Amino acid sequence: MNMKAEVRQQLLGNMIIGRCAQEKGIIFQASKCSGAKCIRFTTETICRLLPTVKQNAGVWKNGQLMQYEIYNDGTSLVFQLSASATGLNQQQKKKTLSLFRSANAGDWDDAKEIIAIRQWTYTVGADIQAAQNVLDEIFEYELPFFETELKQWEMDHGHQIREFPKLDDEEMLTEGTVITVHMDRYERNKEARKRCIAHYGTACQICGFDFGKVYGPEFAGKIEVHHIVPLSEIHENYVVDPIKDLIPVCSNCHTALHSKPDGVYRPDELKMMLNPL
């Protein structure tokens, strides 16, 4: 690696380390990284899935049997959830193998010490802004959505862990049966929608309907996003919080939310009115 490439790798590594140190929900210690080349961290979800072990029991010296890793060569990033393929007892291996099959279309290789449960590859140019956009993609969309899918897998090991859906920029965000608007009048529509779905997943937060599960993977992400604050209360300087102000809902529940005679139903109100089929 030439000096220019080394400098670029170090700069990008510092950006990733800084991001890991400030992100909520990430458990990070710089001492567990291999400099700028490989940045490692974990989360509460991962620690719950496969707890840490004594220092001498696992593949990694830090005692982690499963952790996130970001490999950085200065021009590309490989982001993956890595699991030990050795040093596991039978129960741990059974659980890890089940997770691997739910999240990965590849083959488990017992000859490997470390297995990638799920892997994402990104090209990073020399432009700092381009690198920042890639890190946004990892930490704001891919990681939260994957963790949301992991939590579903925890409750149901038959759940197939899906990729973050390819969202159509023209996907409409309806605000009632009469008016249809795009939120980019108030803030970046695409980013708000992506953050909302990264946090909540693609299932309707009222009735649980998921287009991707019912109709197939090509329908994943075909979900509307409901603005909890009524349109009449939104002004030009309004800043949308994608987690507090938005929820994904199916078209039926979206229509029902906006069917209240004197306003808009709260999501919890509508849930109370939902009749089981």
Side-chain angles (χ1 to χ4, degrees):
M1 184 182 292
N2 59 41
M3 183 62 69
K4 187 175 181 180
E6 287 182 1
V7 171
R8 191 162 57 241
Q9 183 186 54
Q10 189 62 53
L11 286 173
L12 185 53
N14 289 343
M15 289 175 66
I16 300 168
I17 290 170
R19 195 67 180 260
C20 288
Q22 70 182 18
E23 287 288 332
K24 293 181 180 179
I26 285 180
I27 302 168
F28 173 74
Q29 287 181 271
S31 60
K32 294 181 179 180
C33 302
S34 298
K37 182 180 179 181
C38 181
I39 292 88
R40 301 183 179 94
F41 63 90
T42 188
T43 63
E44 291 181 2
T45 303
I46 297 303
C47 289
R48 188 169 60 245
L49 283 175
L50 206 62
T52 57
V53 295
K54 291 181 180 179
Q55 290 283 351
N56 60 354
V59 172
W60 293 297
K61 292 181 180 179
N62 61 17
Q64 297 284 356
L65 291 176
M66 188 181 294
Q67 62 188 345
Y68 290 105
E69 297 181 304
I70 302 179
Y71 291 92
N72 160 40
D73 67 5
T75 59
S76 63
L77 298 178
V78 176
F79 172 46
Q80 66 185 40
L81 174 61
S82 301
S84 168
T86 62
L88 302 174
N89 61 38
Q90 284 300 109
Q91 184 178 4
Q92 290 170 331
K93 185 167 183 178
K94 183 178 178 181
K95 188 173 186 180
T96 304
L97 184 58
S98 174
L99 175 58
F100 177 85
R101 288 171 176 165
S102 296
N104 199 317
D107 296 319
W108 179 280
D109 186 351
D110 274 318
K112 291 185 177 180
E113 290 188 336
I114 297 173
I115 293 288
I117 298 289
R118 175 62 67 83
Q119 188 176 87
W120 303 263
T121 302
Y122 303 89
T123 300
V124 181
D127 183 9
I128 293 295
Q129 185 57 53
Q132 187 62 59
N133 291 342
V134 167
L135 296 186
D136 287 346
E137 191 74 21
I138 292 174
F139 289 103
E140 296 182 17
Y141 310 131
E142 291 289 3
L143 178 60
F145 184 79
F146 183 69
E147 292 256 313
T148 297
E149 289 284 293
L150 277 180
K151 290 169 186 174
Q152 290 189 47
W153 181 84
E154 273 190 283
M155 295 184 288
D156 173 16
H157 285 192
H159 175 72
Q160 290 297 308
I161 296 175
R162 296 168 294 179
E163 298 279 0
F164 188 79
K166 303 300 180 185
L167 301 177
D168 185 351
D169 290 350
E170 297 302 316
E171 189 79 32
M172 69 178 183
L173 295 157
T174 56
E175 295 294 343
T177 56
V178 178
I179 274 185
T180 300
V181 299
H182 284 275
M183 277 178 44
D184 50 4
R185 180 186 305 174
Y186 308 105
E187 80 120 326
R188 295 166 69 191
N189 175 18
K190 180 182 177 182
E191 302 305 316
R193 176 172 168 75
K194 287 176 70 174
R195 291 189 191 193
C196 174
I197 290 174
H199 179 80
Y200 290 107
T202 55
C204 175
Q205 294 299 291
I206 305 296
C207 70
F209 182 83
D210 190 314
F211 280 90
K213 285 187 175 181
V214 174
Y215 294 108
E218 64 269 31
F219 290 88
K222 295 294 182 183
I223 195 77
E224 295 180 12
V225 174
H226 171 63
H227 203 298
I228 297 172
V229 179
L231 260 182
S232 58
E233 297 180 18
I234 295 180
H235 306 288
E236 290 299 324
N237 60 352
Y238 185 85
V239 178
V240 174
D241 184 319
I243 310 305
K244 295 180 180 178
D245 297 341
L246 307 177
I247 56 168
V249 293
C250 69
S251 52
N252 286 348
C253 288
H254 209 169
T255 298
L257 283 164
H258 287 275
S259 298
K260 192 173 186 178
D262 58 346
V264 180
Y265 286 108
R266 298 192 313 273
D268 60 321
E269 278 186 292
L270 195 62
K271 280 185 181 180
M272 294 294 291
M273 299 165 66
L274 191 64
N275 290 319
L277 298 176

